[in-house]
Amino acid sequence: MKPRTIPTFPSHAIILLVIALFLGSCRTEPIATYSAEKRGEYAHAAVVSGHPLASQVGNDILEKGGNAVDAAVAVQFALAVVYPRAGNLGGGGFLVYRSNDGSTDALDYREKAPAAASRDMYLDSLANPVDGLSTKGHLAAGVPGTVAGLAAAHERYGKLTWEDLVQPAIELAENGFSISETEADRLNGFQEAFLAFNTNECPFIKELWQTGDLLIQSDLAASLKRIKAKKAAGFYQGETADLIVKEMQSGNGMITAEDLANYEPTWRQAITGNYDDYKIISMPPSSSGGVALLQMLGMVENAPLNEYGFHSTAATHLMVEAERRAYADRSEYLGDSDFYPVPLDSLIDENYLQYRMDDFQPDSASTSDHLTAGNFVNRKESFETTHTSIVDAEGNAVSLTTTLNSNFGCKVVVDGAGFFLNNEMDDFSIKPGTPNQFGLLGAEANAIQPGKRMLSSMTPTIIEKDGQLFMILGAPGGSTIITAVFQVFINVAEFGMPLDSAVFAPRFHHQWLPDQIWVEPTALGEEVKSELSAMGHQFRDVNRMAVIKAIQRLPDGSYLAVGDPRNPDDDVSGH
């Protein structure tokens, strides 16, 4: 083992948005915070999600004897109610699972392009992208995968009845919940967009939302009841499907009854790799997260990062250059592996990753306009998102990330059904070489095709150490998700930080293009920034990046759950 240099960070800073099961009891912390941490006492099962009410639902399911998958399903349905800007019935996501015997699985329930979609559908007569066409309104929506994915996860791994898992969300929708000040501000800020695509019957349209207002969603409750009664068929067929199709027809959207009936999630083999004595288990394409994460880790594994020191010039430069190369490969090679021959084995091959770093210069920055995707012999082998990490008392673990893409997706609420639709079509390469709303480029691998899943940055991840469960983590945060997961793990594994310090520590991010290091406040000292500038690096200051939700298994077998304070709300985290 390498010696570890441990920086000083507050080891017991406030842990936001955590509900954990501690020997059958919970404690409420200030600012709607739930934690089992009790200053030195740790949980034997834990739930971390994007909203305390949803985490409470997950905790209740664990207390009833449900397992991690049961809790994850119940949390996701609850988030569809209490976290409408990202929690959803009208979006999609990814789930990575590790059972207590070490076996793993991965479920891809990413949205799909409708059958009527075409490669150039968002381009004008001059082949230029039409502003807003892939991000706002009915045409921006892909076929939702959330309900089908949750049903598939429960069918394979669930323990409690389906009805038990959906009922808490129904009650939240029927009874309503009080919104926070920032939730009120957000709803007020989107009124113009809501009015542009919805009728006044939309439950989110109101002259003025105020702190403490009760958000009741009767139509959504009815949709959830149909799902409770008929599982996935209660969404993809029957009344809810009819309402979706009617909504599409009213706004010139593309999703048809056939698109809904034909949607199926896909079980995939989790992508895995090693870093020192850790095993990384993450999501394969159509997510780019697992591949890019393993690439970054492989590029820095042999360097003495802990000797360089946390956010030193040498460590930051090396990690940025690894990030730059991984995102360059992402733009060229990654897409839905059901439609494009993603060279998966080659991209994470040790020799290839060494080759990618052959032109690394310790004293100068690469330039992204000259650094492109790597070449190899093919060996044939979003921004409004929410993440949930769960471990149950038996040690089964779930890392799950789901999304609508932008805040409130495409801003369309299905009339009579009560949920927002996604705007995930923007995650395709609507024109190769043209960035999406997060500045990410793509090529042929991610071009639009009917039935194809769009590429994602979501990175739900589970980590083992010495064969034992060690960490569960993931995040919302668009293009910054992958680098956040990368840096939090490195903070623990290389810099010896406790998990809360690793999550709270400020971060940097590079995604190849634009050729900038995005820097959170206080992430890099002035001397380090000056030295990096002299190497040729450029900077862009940002307030915050991805919002990590993580759980760590401690040496005594208990769990520490941490919610990220990068948080636009007083009581919920997001983006």
Side-chain angles (χ1 to χ4, degrees):
M1 290 290 292
K2 305 171 188 173
R4 305 296 185 209
T5 301
I6 303 178
T8 301
F9 283 88
S11 62
H12 289 299
I14 294 176
I15 296 180
L16 295 174
L17 306 178
V18 176
I19 292 184
L21 182 66
F22 179 78
L23 299 179
S25 64
C26 277
R27 169 185 167 193
T28 302
E29 299 287 343
I31 319 180
T33 301
Y34 297 83
S35 176
E37 194 208 0
K38 297 189 181 178
R39 301 299 177 261
E41 300 176 21
Y42 295 86
H44 292 272
V47 177
V48 190
S49 86
H51 197 285
L53 292 174
S55 292
Q56 181 66 64
V57 166
N59 181 71
D60 292 343
I61 292 298
L62 293 179
E63 287 186 326
K64 290 177 181 177
N67 60 24
V69 170
D70 290 326
V73 170
V75 166
Q76 296 313 301
F77 281 124
L79 285 169
V81 180
V82 300
Y83 204 52
R85 63 190 173 104
N88 66 80
L89 301 184
F94 303 102
L95 182 152
V96 175
Y97 174 74
R98 181 190 182 276
S99 74
N100 55 14
D101 65 7
S103 59
T104 64
D105 216 339
L107 180 61
D108 184 341
Y109 57 98
R110 182 72 158 148
E111 303 90 334
K112 291 184 176 183
S118 60
R119 180 188 180 92
D120 300 330
M121 60 183 286
Y122 297 113
L123 306 184
D124 63 18
S125 60
L126 299 177
N128 295 315
V130 178
D131 185 46
L133 199 59
S134 65
T135 57
K136 298 176 183 177
H138 298 70
L139 200 62
V143 182
T146 294
V147 177
L150 297 179
H154 177 259
E155 182 177 352
R156 181 171 288 197
Y157 294 111
K159 183 178 178 183
L160 298 186
T161 68
W162 176 255
E163 293 79 7
D164 285 341
L165 308 184
V166 183
Q167 183 60 32
I170 293 172
E171 293 173 5
L172 284 167
E174 286 186 325
N175 299 330
F177 66 98
S178 297
I179 64 172
S180 69
E181 179 180 359
T182 46
E183 287 172 325
D185 289 344
R186 179 173 289 104
L187 287 169
N188 289 330
F190 279 91
Q191 288 301 300
E192 183 178 350
F194 295 162
L195 287 165
F197 299 107
N198 300 282
T199 67
N200 287 329
E201 284 70 38
C202 171
F204 303 99
I205 293 176
K206 187 174 181 178
E207 185 173 345
L208 180 65
W209 287 96
Q210 296 181 340
T211 305
D213 280 353
L214 202 62
L215 178 55
I216 296 174
Q217 300 169 75
S218 300
D219 287 343
L220 179 58
S223 294
L224 288 165
K225 288 177 180 177
R226 290 188 285 271
I227 293 168
K228 176 183 174 181
K230 298 183 179 180
K231 297 188 176 181
F235 182 88
Y236 295 93
Q237 302 171 33
E239 185 175 352
T240 301
D242 291 343
L243 291 168
I244 295 172
V245 172
K246 183 179 178 181
E247 185 64 52
M248 287 288 107
Q249 292 171 344
S250 73
N252 296 316
M254 293 181 298
I255 299 173
T256 65
E258 289 75 21
D259 290 322
L260 293 167
N262 291 335
Y263 183 90
E264 291 184 1
T266 300
W267 288 100
R268 303 190 188 278
Q269 183 177 351
I271 187 171
T272 61
N274 296 315
Y275 182 93
D276 289 349
D277 50 357
Y278 299 92
K279 179 181 179 181
I280 315 299
I281 306 161
S282 196
M283 193 70 209
S286 58
S287 173
S288 66
V291 174
L293 175 63
L294 289 177
Q295 283 193 304
M296 293 172 192
L297 291 172
M299 288 184 225
V300 305
E301 182 176 9
N302 294 324
L305 280 172
N306 56 310
E307 295 178 13
Y308 293 162
F310 172 75
H311 285 199
S312 64
T313 301
T316 303
H317 175 56
L318 175 65
M319 293 171 71
V320 161
E321 291 301 329
E323 292 173 0
R324 185 199 306 270
R325 287 160 173 78
Y327 276 81
D329 280 0
R330 179 194 190 277
S331 72
E332 180 68 25
Y333 295 120
L334 295 182
D336 185 348
S337 56
D338 293 338
F339 282 74
Y340 183 87
V342 177
L344 197 60
D345 289 347
S346 297
L347 285 169
I348 60 175
D349 178 75
E350 181 179 354
N351 293 325
Y352 173 70
L353 296 177
Q354 181 178 341
Y355 147 72
R356 285 299 272 143
M357 295 298 282
D358 279 349
D359 58 353
F360 169 76
Q361 298 296 323
D363 57 355
S364 63
S366 304
T367 55
S368 292
D369 57 349
H370 291 101
L371 188 151
T372 58
N375 295 311
F376 49 76
V377 176
N378 192 331
R379 296 179 180 171
K380 297 290 183 187
E381 39 150 8
S382 270
F383 206 84
E384 196 46 49
T385 303
T386 185
H387 180 81
T388 301
S389 293
I390 299 177
V391 61
D392 62 31
E394 296 179 352
N396 304 299
V398 169
S399 185
L400 183 157
T401 314
T402 185
T403 187
L404 284 172
N405 204 28
S406 298
N407 262 303
F408 304 105
C410 67
K411 314 305 184 287
V412 174
V413 175
V414 177
D415 193 21
F419 54 85
F420 284 97
L421 291 170
N422 66 84
N423 62 346
E424 294 295 352
M425 294 297 288
D426 187 64
D427 272 356
F428 281 117
S429 301
I430 61 175
K431 180 181 180 180
T434 298
N436 68 6
Q437 62 178 312
F438 306 117
L440 291 170
L441 298 180
E444 184 63 32
N446 193 37
I448 300 172
Q449 288 180 254
K452 186 177 183 180
R453 292 179 166 95
M454 56 292 291
L455 190 62
S456 170
S457 295
M458 290 183 275
T459 315
T461 299
I462 298 173
I463 298 171
E464 295 179 2
K465 184 178 183 181
D466 299 325
Q468 299 293 316
L469 177 65
F470 178 71
M471 188 181 294
I472 310 159
L473 75 166
S479 61
T480 68
I481 293 172
I482 309 169
T483 54
V485 172
F486 170 54
Q487 289 176 55
V488 168
F489 170 70
I490 289 294
N491 288 347
V492 174
E494 289 291 348
F495 299 128
M497 295 185 191
L499 182 61
D500 49 3
S501 297
V503 171
F504 298 167
R507 303 186 198 115
F508 53 83
H509 166 82
H510 202 296
Q511 61 181 48
W512 179 50
L513 292 172
D515 194 350
Q516 304 165 326
I517 304 175
W518 297 3
V519 185
E520 289 182 334
T522 74
L524 301 175
E526 290 304 315
E527 183 178 351
V528 169
K529 290 182 73 172
S530 177
E531 291 172 350
L532 291 170
S533 293
M535 292 181 181
H537 290 290
Q538 301 179 59
F539 298 92
R540 173 187 169 189
D541 293 330
V542 298
N543 290 330
R544 64 183 184 89
M545 300 185 201
V547 183
I548 291 284
K549 313 287 196 307
I551 300 170
Q552 183 180 352
R553 184 180 184 274
L554 302 176
D556 66 358
S558 62
Y559 298 99
L560 173 62
V562 177
D564 201 323
R566 286 168 182 80
N567 185 353
D569 303 343
D570 290 332
D571 59 349
V572 292
S573 60
H575 217 52

